[in-house]
Amino acid sequence: MAYAAYRESFGSTVSFSGSRTGLTWLVLDVTVHSRDALFVRRALAECEGAGILRCIPRLDENRVRLEIRLPEHMADEVMNRIMACVPDGEIGHLSSWRHHLQRHGLTHGV
């Protein structure tokens, strides 16, 4: 099975540590049709600090699950942009950065 992991930065440099920047980071899971992932990426390019952490293909369904990292204060804007560009996508749960790391086995909270 194919797996892709990447983080995009569209001209802005963002620190992973919320303690240094004073920001609280969240992770939003979104599932869209494979061909629509480009539209989500373009919509996120206009959201300061938001970016795709991981793109996990679901080959049998022709869909991808995107893990999107975003500042807490941008959650509503990011969701609205995603719903506007991909109305048939599935918005999953919104979790804290710490919970996201724990879910992937990183308990030290980097």
Side-chain angles (χ1 to χ4, degrees):
M1 181 169 146
Y3 175 79
Y6 57 89
R7 180 174 171 272
E8 294 183 357
S9 177
F10 297 99
S12 61
T13 305
V14 181
S15 170
F16 275 98
S17 173
S19 61
R20 283 188 240 158
T21 62
L23 293 175
T24 302
W25 297 104
L26 301 174
V27 177
L28 175 65
D29 287 339
V30 176
T31 303
V32 297
H33 198 279
S34 298
R35 68 175 177 259
D36 294 333
L38 175 64
F39 300 122
V40 174
R41 290 173 57 191
R42 287 182 179 164
L44 292 177
E46 300 174 16
C47 296
E48 182 70 30
I52 297 175
L53 292 172
R54 295 178 4 151
C55 176
I56 304 162
R58 293 182 170 180
L59 300 176
D60 295 337
E61 304 169 19
N62 290 328
R63 299 174 73 77
V64 293
R65 185 171 66 98
L66 305 173
E67 291 181 355
I68 301 169
R69 188 183 127 210
L70 59 140
E72 183 177 36
H73 69 278
M74 297 283 292
D76 291 336
E77 182 178 347
V78 168
M79 283 190 230
N80 286 332
R81 286 180 183 268
I82 291 171
M83 288 187 288
C85 73
V86 187
D88 63 339
E90 299 171 17
I91 294 183
H93 69 278
L94 183 66
S95 60
S96 69
W97 180 246
R98 183 170 302 279
H99 181 266
H100 170 75
L101 292 176
Q102 289 171 347
R103 189 170 78 186
H104 293 290
L106 302 171
T107 58
H108 50 76
V110 172

